[in-house]
Amino acid sequence: MRLGTWFAGGDGAAQGKAASTGDVCTILVVDDESDFREVLSYCLETRGFRVLQAANGREALARLEDTLGEVSLVVTDIVMPAMDGLELAAELGRRAPEMPLLLITGMSDQVPCCNGRTLPLLLKPFRLSELLGHVRVLLGTSNGAGGPDRPGVD
């Protein structure tokens, strides 16, 4: 697999560090393709985010339970073994309906719905700036991580 086919490059000024508290927002990246998961994690880490990884939905739920509220956003592939991204979204809708979620896929351009809620979708390949734009929106800021309970970032 050529990693360059997944990310079409791009810039982005999003930073994961909250300015006034020094807290770092944590993103859980869920994808069964380890190379893609590693590259995506690296891109987010270089923008200042703390990144956790999981290879499927079941592993993601276990990571979320282990971190007890530290995760600010879940970025998940849709097509995975054991528990796919839509099943993960449904389970998160029951367990943590306030958890922001971004679905990524190279398989479809249909807007996914889960529990009556339209979920944001990013199609592979994508630019890093597109990913960071979604992260900004889902975390509730115009400039990176943060939100109603978290200040904006540098």
Side-chain angles (χ1 to χ4, degrees), residues 11-110:
D11 55 2
Q15 300 290 315
K17 187 172 179 180
S20 66
T21 65
D23 293 337
V24 174
C25 289
T26 301
I27 298 175
L28 175 58
V29 173
V30 188
D31 199 302
D32 61 317
E33 294 184 32
S34 61
D35 289 342
F36 179 77
R37 192 174 63 241
E38 288 292 331
V39 170
L40 183 57
S41 296
Y42 173 79
C43 289
L44 291 167
E45 287 170 345
T46 62
R47 297 310 190 274
F49 294 98
R50 178 175 175 243
V51 179
L52 303 175
Q53 297 183 25
N56 59 57
R58 287 187 188 148
E59 195 175 303
L61 291 173
R63 293 298 305 251
L64 288 167
E65 287 179 18
D66 291 345
T67 57
L68 298 173
E70 293 176 26
V71 174
S72 302
L73 170 66
V74 175
V75 177
T76 183
D77 190 21
I78 293 178
V79 180
M80 297 179 291
M83 176 186 274
D84 69 29
L86 294 177
E87 292 169 319
L88 173 60
E91 190 60 32
L92 284 176
R94 286 187 286 278
R95 294 185 188 194
E98 72 287 348
M99 175 66 68
L101 179 75
L102 174 62
L103 294 169
I104 55 175
T105 189
M107 306 299 274
S108 172
D109 60 357
Q110 293 182 333

